[in-house]
C-alpha cells in the first residue's frame, strides 16, 4: 500500500515538474519574441475573447462556408465568416454590415459603390477586404478601425489619395491600389512594418516618399504606368525587396546604389528614358529577370557579366553598339532579346551561355557571327532578320536543339559546304527570304526534320529537284518573287502540302503535277501561264485527285470556273479551317488566362 502511494506521489511530482518546465519555455519564447499579448488583437481583453478569436480564424480559413447573399447570410449572421457580394450591381451597402461580427473575408468587387458605410469599419475580425472595381473616390479615416486587416484591394476605383492613418493598421501586409488616380501616397506608409506587397500601377504618381524605406518587410513594389522621373534613394534600405516593377514611367536613371538590394529577383524598368545603368547593378547576384527594353542605353556596365543568376534579359529597342567582353559570363541566361539596336557583332564569349534557348537579334547591323555560337547546344530559336549577315559559320551545324531559324533580309548568297545540317535534328522551319540565293541551299537536304522553307525574294532561277526529294519531312516551300521560268519534270514526287510560286516567270507546269500525293495548296498568282494551259492543268488535277483532297490553285480561280465537286471540297476545307481557327482561339484564350494568373502570382496578388 505504501509502495503504491509512493509511486502515485512520484508521478504527480513529475507531472508538476514537466508543467513547470514547459511554462518556463513558453515564457522565455514570449520574452524573446515580444509580449504574447502584443500578438493578439488589441480589442481582446479576456482569455475567452482570445480563444474565440483563434477558433474563428482557423474555422474561417479552413472550413467556413462562403455566403453570396446578404439576406441568406443575415439568417445566420453569428456564424458567417466569409461573405462574397461581388458582381451584385450594388450601388450602396447598408450599415447592417456591422452585424456580421465574425467576418474574416468580405468581397465587394465589381459593383457601383461610391462610399462605404460606417458599420463596415466595426468588423473586429476582418482580415481581407476586396473593394476592387467600384467608384470610390476616397477611403474614410475610420478604416483604421479594421485593426486585423491584412489584405486590402482597392484597385480600379477613382481614388485620388489614401488616408494618412492607413498606417495605423499595423497588420496590413498587402495593398492593391492599381488603376486609380493617385498623385501621391502617404509618407506614413513606411510605418507598415509587415507590408510585403504594394501595388500602385496605373496611377499618376510623380514621386515616392523616401520614408517608404521604413516598410522593412516589403518584397513586391509595383509602380508601372505612372509619371515617376526617379526612384527614391532610400529604396536600397528595403533589404527584402524581391520584385521591383517600374515600367512605363519617365525614369532617367536608377539609384546609384541599387546593387545594395541584394534580394532582387525581378527588375522591370522597360519603357523609360534610361541612358545608363549604375555600376552597382552587377552586385544583384540573385537577379533572374531584367527588363530594359525601350530605353536609351548606349552601353552596359563593365561588370554586367557578374549577374550570375540572370535567366531572362530584355535589351531590345535601345542604342547599344557593343556588348561587354564578359557578357559570356552570364552562364544561366536562357532568353536574350537584343533586337532593334545598333550591334555589329557579338563577343566571342557568347558561346559560354550554354543554357541559352532563345536569341533575338533582329534589326541590328550584324555582318558576321562568332564561331563560338555553334556551342549553344540548348538554343531552340534564333532570330536574326534585318541584318547584313553574308554567311553562317560552319560551327552552326552543332546547334542540335535548334527548331526555328530566321535570317530574312540579309546578304546570304549560299550556305557553306562545310555546314553539316545533319546536326539540326529538331529544326522544323528556316526563313531565308530577301537574301541573294541563286539556287536552293544544298546543305539543307541533310536537315532530317525540316518542314518549312521560305526563300521568297531571292535570285533563284532553277530548282534542284534532288534536294527537295531528300527532305523527308518537308511540307511547305515558298519561292515567291524569284526568277523561276520552269519547274522540274518530276516535281509531282515532292512530299509537300503547300507550294508557293507567286510572281515568277513560270509559263507552264509539268505533267507530273497530277501525281502530287499530299498537295493542298498551290500558289501560282502573277506568272505567265496561258489561259488554255490553265484549263488543261485544272482538268489534269481534277481527273487524278479525290475531290476532298483536291489542291487549291490560288491565282487560277479567277480564270477558271470551278466544278461543283471542287466547290463542295472547298466548302469542306473552309469549314475545317473555321473549326481549327476556333480551336486555336480557344487555346490562345486559355494560354492568355494562364499567363495572367502567372503574372498575378508573380506580383504576389493571389
Amino acid at each position: 500500500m505504501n509502495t503504491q502511494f509512493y509511486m502515485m506521489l512520484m508521478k504527480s511530482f513529475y507531472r508538476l515538474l514537466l508543467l513547470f518546465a514547459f511554462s518556463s519555455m513558453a515564457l522565455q519564447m514570449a520574452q524573446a519574441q515580444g509580449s504574447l499579448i502584443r500578438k493578439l488583437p488589441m480589442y481582446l481583453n479576456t482569455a475567452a475573447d482570445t480563444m474565440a478569436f483563434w477558433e474563428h480564424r482557423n474555422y474561417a480559413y479552413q472550413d467556413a462556408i462562403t455566403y453570396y447573399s446578404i439576406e441568406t447570410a443575415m439568417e445566420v449572421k453569428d456564424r458567417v465568416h466569409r461573405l462574397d457580394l461581388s458582381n451584385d450591381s450594388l450601388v450602396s451597402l447598408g450599415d447592417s454590415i456591422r452585424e456580421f461580427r465574425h467576418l474574416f473575408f468580405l468581397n465587394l468587387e465589381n459593383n457601383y459603390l461610391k462610399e462605404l458605410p460606417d458599420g463596415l469599419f466595426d468588423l473586429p475580425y476582418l482580415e481581407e477586404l476586396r473593394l476592387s472595381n467600384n467608384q470610390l473616390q476616397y477611403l474614410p479615416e475610420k478604416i483604421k478601425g479594421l485593426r486585423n486587416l491584412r489584405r486590402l484591394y482597392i484597385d480600379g476605383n477613382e481614388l485620388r489619395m489614401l488616408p494618412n492613418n492607413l498606417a495605423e493598421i499595423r497588420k496590413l501586409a498587402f495593398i492593391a491600389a492599381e488603376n486609380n488616380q493617385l498623385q501621391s501616397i502617404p509618407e506614413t506608409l513606411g510605418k507598415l512594418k509587415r507590408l510585403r506587397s504594394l501595388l500602385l500601377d496605373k496611377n499618376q504618381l510623380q514621386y515616392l516618399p523616401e520614408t517608404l524605406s521604413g516598410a522593412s518587410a516589403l518584397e513586391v513594389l509595383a509602380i508601372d504606368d505612372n509619371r515617376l522621373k526617379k526612384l527614391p534613394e532610400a529604396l536600397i534600405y528595403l533589404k527584402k525587396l524581391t520584385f521591383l516593377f517600374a515600367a512605363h514611367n519617365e525614369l532617367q536613371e536608377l539609384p546609384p546604389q541599387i546593387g545594395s538590394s541584394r534580394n532582387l529577383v525581378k527588375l522591370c524598368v522597360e519603357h523609360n528614358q534610361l541612358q545608363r545603368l549604375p555600376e552597382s547593378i552587377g552586385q544583384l547576384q540573385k537577379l533572374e529577370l531584367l527588363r530594359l527594353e525601350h530605353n536609351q542605353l548606349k552601353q552596359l556596365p563593365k561588370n554586367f557579366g557578374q549577374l550570375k543568376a540572370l535567366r531572362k534579359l530584355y535589351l531590345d529597342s535601345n542604342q547599344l553598339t557593343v556588348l561587354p567582353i564578359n557578357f559570356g559570363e552570364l552562364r544561366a541566361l536562357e532568353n536574350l532579346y537584343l533586337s532593334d539596336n545598333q550591334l555589329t557583332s557579338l563577343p566571342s564569349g557568347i558561346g559560354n551561355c550554354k543554357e541559352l534557348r532563345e536569341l533575338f537579334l533582329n534589326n541590328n547591323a550584324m555582318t558576321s557571327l562568332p564561331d563560338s555560337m555553334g556551342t549553344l547546344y540548348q538554343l531552340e530559336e534564333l532570330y536574326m532578320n534585318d541584318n547584313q549577315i553574308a554567311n553562317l559559320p560552319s560551327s552552326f551545324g552543332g546547334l542540335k536543339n535548334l527548331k526555328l531559324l530566321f535570317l530574312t533580309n540579309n546578304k546570304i548568297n549560299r550556305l557553306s559546304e562545310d555546314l553539316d545540317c545533319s546536326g539540326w535534328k529538331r529544326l522544323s522551319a528556316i526563313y531565308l527570304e530577301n537574301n541573294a540565293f541563286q539556287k536552293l541551299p544544298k546543305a539543307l537536304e541533310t536537315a532530317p526534320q525540316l518542314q518549312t522553307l521560305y526563300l521568297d525574294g531571292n535570285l533563284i532561277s532553277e530548282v534542284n529537284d534532288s534536294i527537295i526529294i531528300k527532305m523527308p519531312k518537308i511540307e511547305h516551300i515558298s519561292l515567291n518573287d524569284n526568277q523561276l521560268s520552269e519547274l522540274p519534270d518530276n516535281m509531282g514526287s515532292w512530299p509537300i502540302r503547300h507550294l508557293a510560286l507567286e510572281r515568277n516567270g513560270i509559263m507552264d507546269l509539268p505533267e507530273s503535277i497530277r501525281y502530287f500525293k499530299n498537295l493542298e495548296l498551290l500558289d501560282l498568282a502573277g506568272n505567265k501561264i496561258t489561259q488554255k494551259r490553265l484549263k488543261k492543268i485544272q482538268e489534269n488535277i481534277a481527273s487524278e485527285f479525290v475531290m476532298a483532297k483536291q489542291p487549291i490553285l490560288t491565282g487560277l480561280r479567277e480564270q477558271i470556273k470551278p466544278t461543283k465537286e471542287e466547290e463542295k471540297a472547298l466548302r469542306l476545307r473552309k469549314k475545317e479551317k473555321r473549326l481549327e481557327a476556333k480551336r486555336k482561339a480557344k487555346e490562345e484564350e486559355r494560354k492568355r488566362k494562364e499567363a495572367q494568373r502567372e503574372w498575378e502570382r508573380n506580383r504576389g496578388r493571389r
Side-chain angles (χ1 to χ4, degrees):
M1 185 71 176
N2 291 335
T3 304
Q4 291 179 352
F5 176 76
Y6 177 74
M7 292 296 293
M8 291 176 61
L9 186 63
M10 289 297 293
K11 287 182 180 179
S12 300
F13 174 74
Y14 282 127
R15 286 174 183 167
L16 288 172
L17 186 62
L18 288 172
L19 183 60
F20 176 76
F22 282 122
S23 299
S24 299
M25 290 173 62
L27 183 60
Q28 290 175 4
M29 290 174 65
Q31 290 174 346
Q33 298 177 6
S35 174
L36 185 63
I37 301 300
R38 268 203 331 248
K39 295 186 177 295
L40 298 176
M42 296 178 64
Y43 53 84
L44 299 180
N45 298 317
T46 67
D49 288 337
T50 303
M51 185 65 70
F53 174 81
W54 290 112
E55 286 180 357
H56 286 313
R57 189 176 197 280
N58 291 336
Y59 177 74
Y61 279 93
Q62 293 177 15
D63 306 309
I65 297 172
T66 300
Y67 290 84
Y68 295 94
S69 165
I70 197 166
E71 291 80 10
T72 305
M74 191 62 74
E75 297 175 2
V76 287
K77 58 185 179 182
D78 292 333
R79 299 198 300 273
V80 176
H81 297 84
R82 299 176 61 87
L83 183 58
D84 188 342
L85 302 177
S86 61
N87 299 292
D88 272 3
S89 301
L90 295 176
V91 177
S92 63
L93 185 66
D95 208 45
S96 60
I97 192 71
R98 61 160 40 100
E99 298 187 35
F100 296 99
R101 297 284 296 173
H102 301 295
L103 270 185
F104 270 74
F105 172 89
L106 177 58
N107 189 352
L108 294 167
E109 292 179 343
N110 302 315
N111 284 293
Y112 301 99
L113 300 175
K114 293 185 177 180
E115 58 183 18
L116 301 172
D118 291 345
L120 178 62
F121 309 112
D122 292 334
L123 301 175
Y125 298 128
L126 193 64
E127 292 192 5
E128 185 165 331
L129 176 59
R130 292 176 176 253
L131 296 166
S132 306
N133 301 320
N134 278 279
Q135 299 175 11
L136 300 173
Q137 296 184 359
Y138 70 96
L139 288 180
E141 295 283 336
K142 291 183 179 180
I143 195 171
K144 68 178 182 179
L146 300 175
R147 295 181 179 272
N148 275 291
L149 194 65
R150 286 168 166 78
R151 300 176 68 85
L152 175 61
Y153 294 79
I154 49 176
D155 49 303
N157 281 281
E158 301 171 12
L159 300 173
R160 295 179 180 273
M161 59 185 298
L162 299 178
N164 284 319
N165 63 359
L166 196 63
E168 295 184 27
I169 308 176
R170 300 298 186 185
K171 296 182 180 180
L172 203 55
F174 179 96
I175 300 176
E178 315 106 293
N179 200 19
N180 278 283
Q181 300 172 24
L182 300 175
Q183 297 181 1
S184 63
I185 58 174
E187 294 193 0
T188 54
L189 284 187
K191 297 180 180 180
L192 292 171
K193 301 300 182 183
R194 299 186 185 183
L195 187 63
R196 297 176 60 188
S197 297
L198 179 58
L199 312 183
L200 296 166
D201 299 332
K202 296 183 179 179
N203 278 285
Q204 301 172 19
L205 299 175
Q206 297 183 16
Y207 72 95
L208 293 178
E210 295 285 340
T211 55
L212 189 60
S213 61
S216 54
L218 195 63
E219 297 176 4
V220 180
L221 177 58
I223 44 178
D224 291 343
D225 293 285
N226 279 282
R227 300 174 182 175
L228 299 170
K229 288 182 167 51
K230 68 175 184 176
L231 299 177
E233 300 284 342
L235 276 184
I236 64 173
Y237 298 113
L238 296 174
K239 300 301 183 182
K240 294 185 178 181
L241 191 62
T242 306
F243 304 137
L244 176 55
F245 304 95
H248 294 273
N249 279 283
E250 301 172 15
L251 300 177
Q252 297 180 359
E253 60 180 3
L254 296 178
Q257 300 303 319
I258 194 169
S260 298
S261 301
R262 299 296 176 86
N263 283 306
L264 266 183
V265 174
K266 296 184 179 180
L267 175 58
C268 300
V269 287
E270 67 271 22
H271 290 272
N272 278 284
Q273 301 171 19
L274 300 175
Q275 297 182 9
R276 62 181 180 277
L277 298 177
E279 290 290 334
S280 67
I281 199 168
Q283 300 172 15
L284 300 175
Q285 296 297 300
K286 295 184 180 180
L287 194 65
E288 296 182 6
L289 170 65
L290 179 55
R291 300 200 63 158
L292 293 162
E293 68 267 32
H294 292 276
N295 277 284
Q296 301 170 19
L297 299 173
K298 295 182 179 179
Q299 61 181 8
L300 300 177
K302 294 179 180 179
N303 63 351
F304 197 79
Q306 296 178 9
L307 298 172
K308 304 297 184 183
L310 195 61
R311 294 173 54 215
K312 294 185 178 182
L313 176 58
Y314 294 76
L315 282 165
D316 34 317
S317 298
N318 278 280
Q319 301 171 21
L320 298 173
T321 57
V322 66
L323 297 179
I325 296 176
N326 64 353
F327 195 85
E329 296 301 313
L330 302 175
R331 298 180 186 275
L333 201 60
E334 296 178 4
N335 306 87
L336 177 56
Y337 299 83
L338 290 165
S339 297
D340 299 295
N341 280 282
Q342 300 168 22
L343 297 171
T344 57
S345 63
L346 295 176
S348 59
I350 191 73
N352 294 325
C353 302
K354 303 296 186 184
E355 299 299 320
L356 199 60
R357 285 167 169 76
E358 291 182 349
L359 176 54
F360 288 77
L361 286 163
N362 296 329
N363 196 25
N364 277 279
M366 306 284 297
T367 57
S368 62
L369 300 169
D371 289 336
S372 62
M373 282 187 67
T375 62
L376 299 176
Y377 302 126
Q378 300 300 323
L379 193 64
E380 296 179 358
E381 299 180 17
L382 179 55
Y383 299 79
M384 297 185 292
N385 298 331
D386 301 291
N387 280 280
Q388 300 176 32
I389 299 170
N391 55 63
L392 299 180
S394 57
S395 62
F396 259 48
L399 301 176
K400 58 184 179 181
N401 279 303
L402 193 63
K403 295 179 181 178
L404 299 175
L405 177 57
F406 292 80
L407 285 162
T408 298
N409 292 330
N410 279 281
K411 297 182 178 181
I412 305 173
N413 56 19
R414 67 185 183 88
L415 296 183
S416 172
E417 295 180 0
D418 296 330
L419 179 60
D420 182 8
C421 298
S422 60
W424 292 348
K425 298 185 182 300
R426 302 181 67 186
L427 186 68
S428 61
I430 182 169
Y431 297 80
L432 297 167
E433 302 106 310
N434 300 326
N435 278 279
F437 287 98
Q438 297 182 12
K439 57 183 179 180
L440 293 182
K442 183 175 176 58
L444 294 180
E445 68 183 18
T446 59
Q449 299 297 323
L450 189 62
Q451 297 178 4
T452 302
L453 174 59
Y454 277 85
L455 280 161
D456 300 355
N458 280 278
L459 305 172
I460 299 173
S461 57
E462 62 177 347
V463 176
N464 189 333
D465 180 68
S466 63
I467 296 177
I468 297 177
I469 293 175
K470 291 180 180 178
M471 298 178 181
K473 301 287 187 178
I474 196 70
E475 293 184 353
H476 182 122
I477 297 179
S478 185
L479 291 164
N480 297 328
D481 299 293
N482 276 281
Q483 300 177 9
L484 296 172
S485 58
E486 59 182 6
L487 297 169
D489 291 336
N490 61 342
M491 65 178 292
S493 60
W494 295 354
I496 57 178
R497 296 172 58 191
H498 181 191
L499 179 59
L501 297 167
E502 296 181 6
R503 294 176 297 279
N504 278 276
I506 299 172
M507 301 180 65
D508 198 0
L509 295 179
E511 293 291 334
S512 64
I513 191 174
R514 70 176 66 185
Y515 301 118
F516 273 121
K517 294 181 179 180
N518 302 312
L519 190 64
E520 295 179 1
L521 183 61
L522 177 59
D523 297 325
L524 285 166
N527 280 283
K528 300 178 180 180
I529 304 176
T530 63
Q531 174 80 15
K532 182 178 180 181
R533 184 57 185 152
L534 285 173
K535 190 170 184 180
K536 183 64 176 175
I537 293 170
Q538 187 73 4
E539 290 173 354
N540 286 342
I541 292 178
S543 66
E544 295 292 337
F545 282 88
V546 178
M547 290 303 166
K549 291 187 177 181
Q550 181 184 335
I552 303 172
L553 277 70
T554 64
L556 308 186
R557 287 298 184 192
E558 67 277 10
Q559 301 179 58
I560 301 177
K561 185 178 180 180
T563 63
K564 291 182 179 180
E565 291 81 4
E566 289 174 325
E567 290 179 337
K568 182 179 179 181
L570 183 59
R571 285 196 298 272
L572 285 172
R573 281 197 291 276
K574 286 183 177 180
K575 183 178 179 180
E576 290 174 358
K577 287 183 177 179
R578 286 196 300 271
L579 292 174
E580 181 63 21
K582 287 183 179 179
R583 284 194 292 269
K584 286 183 177 179
K586 189 174 181 180
E587 179 64 14
E588 288 296 322
E589 178 66 12
R590 184 191 68 78
K591 290 181 179 179
R592 187 191 66 77
K593 289 181 178 179
E594 180 61 28
Q596 179 68 13
R597 286 195 292 270
E598 180 64 21
W599 179 85
E600 291 179 346
R601 283 195 295 271
N602 289 341
R603 290 293 182 91
R605 185 171 178 77
R606 297 286 179 237

